[in-house]
Amino acid sequence: MAPRRKKIYEGKAKILYEGPEPGTLVQYFKDDATAFNAQKKATIEGKGVLNNRLSEFFMQGLTNVGIPNHFIRRLNMREQLIRQVEIVPLEVIVRNFAAGSIAKRLGLEEGTALPRPIVEYSYKNDALGDPLVPEEYIIAFGWANQQDLDDIISLALRVNDFLAGVFYGVGIKLVDFKIEIGRVWDGDFMRLIVADEISPDSCRLWDAKTGAHLDKDVFRRDLGSLTDAYTEVARRLGVLPTNSTNMKPTLIN
Ligand code: TMP
């Protein structure tokens, strides 16, 4: 066994380890799923393997169209090398159709097309249940300044255009998603890049024809097998894990 690396941070679905070079981290995808601020928990075999692959696919796609992000390369079935960033403590949510909390808050029927993509922010704080916050709070408390927010909105909308197109090409409607943003420094110059992960854990994905849920709502709402839903997304995108000893053969076919 290789000596255990230094753990930098452990979240609900991922672990960050010290990377091989300064300024890098290893991001490990666990099989753990949580919902409703971890009131609901389960281990879903194979989820980490699928999300590692899917996040690689989306981040690499962002790189290909010039959208800066933390992904460097995938290391193995569950790990990828990423740039170390300072995470902006916000969940940046983009919505194309009403679902989840906005549907509830505004009394909209799920699936209602929104007049334009809506970008909103939650303050990343588990103890408070990630509350929705206005820009006014973000600036007043110094989590980001106005220039940062302009850049964050621009990044979020570019990611939305990219993802919505990729998904629609495989018969999936991108209802909404969440990204996180990190700061990196080149000398004194600070840049904002897409960080964390992009996977069916952090998106709402509906089959364009049937409306079937192909995302974490399957787990949140007890709609069936989460692994089957994520495998279907991976299969349509042509992103299925190759054979390996640490995964079940059911994921390969
Ligand atoms: P919401 O409708 O519950 O506010 O969620 C909006 C989107 O953000 C949905 O795609 C799920 C994603 N999301 C996360 O990735 N993490 C979270 O903690 C929450 C609340 C939502």
Side-chain angles (χ1 to χ4, degrees):
M1 281 278 278
R4 208 59 203 139
R5 288 159 302 192
K6 186 172 168 204
K7 194 189 280 187
I8 304 286
Y9 176 81
E10 179 157 3
K12 286 176 285 196
K14 300 185 294 298
I15 306 173
L16 297 176
Y17 295 103
E18 198 169 63
E21 297 140 36
T24 66
L25 295 174
V26 173
Q27 179 164 257
Y28 175 98
F29 287 79
K30 301 195 275 188
D31 280 344
D32 297 350
T34 65
F36 314 118
N37 204 20
Q39 289 174 57
K40 179 169 179 168
K41 289 187 201 176
T43 302
I44 293 162
E45 206 178 336
K47 179 173 87 81
V49 174
L50 285 159
N51 280 354
N52 185 31
R53 283 288 183 148
L54 284 162
S55 201
E56 171 192 19
F57 175 81
F58 295 121
M59 295 290 183
Q60 193 58 60
L62 294 184
T63 301
N64 292 345
V65 298
I67 303 174
N69 66 83
H70 73 167
F71 182 79
I72 300 173
R73 67 175 179 275
R74 189 169 56 80
L75 298 171
N76 55 50
M77 296 303 283
R78 287 185 182 273
E79 295 179 331
Q80 48 184 249
L81 186 68
I82 58 169
R83 277 191 75 167
Q84 183 162 27
V85 302
E86 182 187 302
I87 287 284
V88 175
L90 297 173
E91 305 212 334
V92 180
I93 293 164
V94 183
R95 301 178 187 273
N96 298 307
F97 298 88
S101 65
I102 198 176
K104 207 168 164 191
R105 188 177 310 116
L106 301 182
L108 297 171
E109 192 184 335
E110 288 209 316
T112 308
L114 298 169
R116 56 174 219 185
I118 292 176
V119 181
E120 65 181 46
Y121 312 94
S122 294
Y123 176 45
K124 256 176 82 70
N125 183 314
D126 282 342
L128 300 174
D130 299 341
L132 185 71
V133 288
E135 288 198 359
E136 188 74 8
Y137 288 17
I138 296 169
I139 292 168
F141 292 108
W143 301 325
N145 64 27
Q146 187 63 60
Q147 177 63 56
D148 295 335
L149 285 177
D150 292 350
D151 292 348
I152 288 170
I153 291 171
S154 160
L155 276 172
L157 293 176
R158 289 172 75 195
V159 172
N160 185 45
D161 285 346
F162 173 77
L163 290 179
V166 168
F167 280 122
Y168 202 72
V170 295
I172 293 173
K173 196 151 109 170
L174 178 62
V175 173
D176 59 34
F177 65 93
K178 182 264 302 191
I179 51 172
E180 295 185 22
I181 302 292
R183 297 177 192 280
V184 290
W185 278 270
D186 297 317
D188 285 346
F189 185 69
M190 188 276 294
R191 287 192 311 135
L192 295 166
I193 68 175
V194 178
D196 189 52
E197 73 176 283
I198 299 177
S199 76
D201 268 10
S202 52
C203 299
R204 276 203 178 87
L205 306 171
W206 294 359
D207 182 276
K209 280 213 188 85
T210 67
H213 295 265
L214 297 171
D215 57 59
K216 205 165 100 180
D217 275 347
V218 171
F219 171 69
R220 293 190 191 96
R221 304 179 185 188
D222 294 319
L223 300 175
S225 160
L226 194 75
T227 313
D228 286 355
Y230 288 21
T231 302
E232 175 63 13
V233 173
R235 189 190 63 74
R236 290 196 200 181
L237 293 168
V239 186
L240 268 184
T242 49
N243 202 350
S244 158
T245 49
N246 65 354
M247 58 176 300
K248 290 204 309 187
T250 50
L251 289 175
I252 300 165
N253 300 317

